[in-house]
Amino acid sequence: MLIGMIGSWWKRPRNEVGRVSVMPPWSIWLGALVLLVMAAVSMWTLFGLFGAGSPQDKIRLEIVKLAGSIVVGTGGAVALLLAARRQRATELQLAQNERDLAQKERAAADARHDAAERRITELYSSAAEQLGSDKAPVRLAALHALERLGQDNPGHRQTVVDLLCAYLRMRDTSSDDQEGQVRLTAQRLLTTHLRPQARGDGKFWAGMDLDLTRATLVAWDMAGCSVRSALFDGADFRDDAAFRQTEFGGAVSFRDARFHGAASFDRARFRDAAGFGAAVALGEISFRAAEFDGAASFDGADFLDRTSFSGGRFGAAGSFRQVVFRGGVSFREAQFREAASFAAAEFRDEASFGGATFHGSASFGEARFHGAASFREAEFHGAAWFDQAQLGEPDFSGARMLTPDPATAQGWRQPGWRLTAVDGEVPDEQQRRWFRFAPAD
């Protein structure tokens, strides 16, 4: 080892201190020769000193052996230390190599990501520019390019949806059939990716937000779609509109929307607030078995044809203040879990609340019923107000009210009807019991 160090030192140039050098081959042979010479000299010396075999020579020989063992052991420890040092140096070098490799991989990944983002940006910008073309085929090609971009790049799907919605929000002031086809294509490409049944082939885009404020939508078909939030404020629905079994995960608004044809929201699910304030429905509109988990507001809406909320479920407050139902309306078997307000609502044709259940308060104050009003078998679990309401000849057959105060119940008055206690009815923990509506004497 000493010879190797000397050989390495001898080989290193004087002006390159610190540079790693390689042991020259001749140093190995020199080291072997030195070891042989040392072994021969040691044997000769030991024979000369302790060759007589006297007791003192034996003792000295044992001391020499012990010293030799110590020297050999010390040398072994030094060798072990050097081996450990080499092992640590090797491990450090491997760790450094791994870090360098990881850094290179990250740099390569970042470079690929940047290149992909630049390509996506270029494609998006090109498609957006083509949408402004005056040629319908160019606009159609741009729509399909955007659709492919969103399909291949999930992180950019909301951006693609926003651009499709922006195109549909632009006013359709022309009667060009080609432009009509372009808009129908945009609608179809948008709704196709909003249907969960497309999940199997990877075409469903989950968690999208729609902004179709003041958009003109022709034969809009969103049946079976699922979106997060949606804005249709001031939207103009030409022909029929379909929202059957549509699920709105967030807030949705149809304020000031206008439905020119029939509109179906049958079995739709509104998981957050739903607003239809001041909406106008010229054709028949249906919310059969629709579920409103959040507050539902139809204040000031105008329904010119038949309207149905039969079997609807209102999990939060339902507000129909100042709504005008010009055609027949049905709330049969509807469930109102919290307060329901029909204050100042106007029913110009027959209105049915048969079998409806009001778990919260029900307010019909100042409501006007111009046609038949049926509350047959309806249940009022909370307070019910009909102050200054014009009911004509209402039908409360089989209806009942849960109230804690018989005096209040007996004081309830409607033309031709009175409340009577149910025989054998036991008050509950809140001292409420059922009172039936019966024809007045």
Side-chain angles (χ1 to χ4, degrees):
M1 180 177 63
L2 178 60
I3 299 302
M5 293 174 60
I6 295 173
S8 299
W9 172 81
W10 181 268
K11 194 70 175 178
R12 181 188 303 146
R14 292 291 185 259
N15 58 351
E16 297 184 4
V17 177
R19 183 177 175 182
V20 178
S21 60
V22 181
M23 180 183 294
W26 60 264
S27 62
I28 299 176
W29 296 103
L30 179 60
L33 179 61
V34 170
L35 289 175
L36 290 174
V37 172
M38 290 179 64
V41 171
S42 299
M43 292 179 61
W44 180 80
T45 302
L46 289 174
F47 275 113
L49 294 175
F50 310 112
S54 63
Q56 291 81 2
D57 293 339
K58 292 181 179 179
I59 294 173
R60 292 191 186 97
L61 183 59
E62 292 297 327
I63 293 174
V64 171
K65 289 181 180 179
L66 179 60
S69 299
I70 294 174
V71 171
V72 172
T74 303
V78 172
L80 182 62
L81 178 62
L82 292 175
R85 183 174 178 275
R86 286 194 298 272
Q87 179 66 25
R88 174 173 172 75
T90 302
E91 292 176 352
L92 291 175
Q93 185 61 44
L94 290 175
Q96 183 62 40
N97 292 341
E98 291 179 357
R99 287 193 294 269
D100 294 342
L101 179 60
Q103 184 176 1
K104 292 179 180 178
E105 290 178 350
R106 287 195 299 269
D110 292 341
R112 289 192 299 269
H113 179 268
D114 293 342
E117 289 296 319
R118 284 194 299 271
R119 178 175 176 275
I120 292 172
T121 301
E122 291 173 358
L123 291 175
Y124 177 84
S125 300
S126 176
E129 183 178 354
Q130 289 176 348
L131 282 179
S133 173
D134 57 353
K135 298 180 180 179
V138 175
R139 298 196 297 276
L140 283 171
L143 291 175
H144 287 285
L146 284 171
E147 188 265 344
R148 289 194 301 272
L149 189 151
Q151 181 63 29
D152 296 337
N153 302 275
H156 295 269
R157 289 175 178 175
Q158 184 61 61
T159 303
V160 172
V161 168
D162 291 342
L163 188 54
L164 292 176
C165 289
Y167 186 81
L168 291 173
R169 285 198 306 269
M170 292 189 298
R171 287 293 182 182
D172 183 15
T173 58
S174 68
S175 58
D176 186 356
D177 291 339
Q178 289 186 338
E179 172 58 17
Q181 291 301 316
V182 174
R183 297 180 67 83
L184 288 175
T185 300
Q187 292 182 185
R188 180 180 55 80
L189 292 176
L190 180 61
T191 56
T192 295
H193 292 285
L194 300 180
R195 292 188 170 89
Q197 58 264 35
R199 193 189 308 271
D201 53 12
K203 292 184 178 180
F204 175 56
W205 298 357
M208 295 295 102
D209 298 311
L210 303 183
D211 184 0
L212 291 165
T213 303
R214 293 186 295 278
T216 298
L217 305 171
V218 180
W220 178 256
D221 184 4
M222 199 174 168
C225 289
S226 177
V227 297
R228 184 165 51 193
S229 64
L231 290 176
F232 291 94
D233 293 345
D236 199 18
F237 293 90
R238 306 288 177 86
D239 298 332
D240 295 344
F243 292 89
R244 294 183 303 275
Q245 295 182 300
T246 300
E247 182 172 346
F248 298 95
V252 58
S253 179
F254 287 83
R255 185 169 183 81
D256 294 317
R258 192 175 186 88
F259 299 88
H260 291 267
S264 173
F265 290 85
D266 294 347
R267 296 186 300 281
R269 183 72 178 271
F270 300 87
R271 295 189 176 275
D272 206 329
F276 289 81
V280 176
L282 302 178
E284 183 175 346
I285 188 168
S286 176
F287 292 86
R288 293 183 182 90
E291 297 185 47
F292 297 86
D293 297 341
S297 174
F298 291 82
D299 294 349
D302 193 352
F303 301 99
L304 280 74
D305 207 329
R306 294 192 61 84
T307 306
S308 177
F309 288 89
S310 297
R313 300 291 185 269
F314 294 84
S319 183
F320 295 84
R321 292 190 295 268
Q322 297 181 331
V323 174
V324 179
F325 296 99
R326 301 177 187 272
V329 58
S330 174
F331 284 89
R332 289 186 58 82
E333 307 296 335
Q335 296 277 342
F336 295 89
R337 302 301 304 179
E338 296 186 12
S341 177
F342 293 85
E346 186 174 358
F347 302 84
R348 297 191 179 182
D349 205 328
E350 61 179 11
S352 174
F353 290 85
T357 303
F358 298 88
H359 291 274
S361 61
S363 175
F364 290 87
E366 299 182 359
R368 291 173 291 171
F369 292 81
H370 298 277
S374 174
F375 291 87
R376 293 176 64 89
E377 299 182 356
E379 290 186 358
F380 299 90
H381 291 247
W385 289 283
F386 290 83
D387 301 344
Q388 301 181 31
Q390 299 176 15
L391 289 173
E393 296 182 1
D395 183 2
F396 286 93
S397 301
R400 58 180 186 166
M401 179 185 294
L402 185 65
T403 178
D405 189 353
T408 301
Q410 292 175 1
W412 188 89
R413 291 288 185 271
Q414 281 300 319
W417 295 90
R418 62 186 176 87
L419 286 172
T420 60
V422 177
D423 294 337
E425 186 71 25
V426 178
D428 62 10
E429 66 279 359
Q430 298 177 357
Q431 298 303 308
R432 301 178 304 174
R433 60 176 179 170
W434 288 105
F435 290 80
R436 287 194 177 277
F437 290 79
D441 296 335

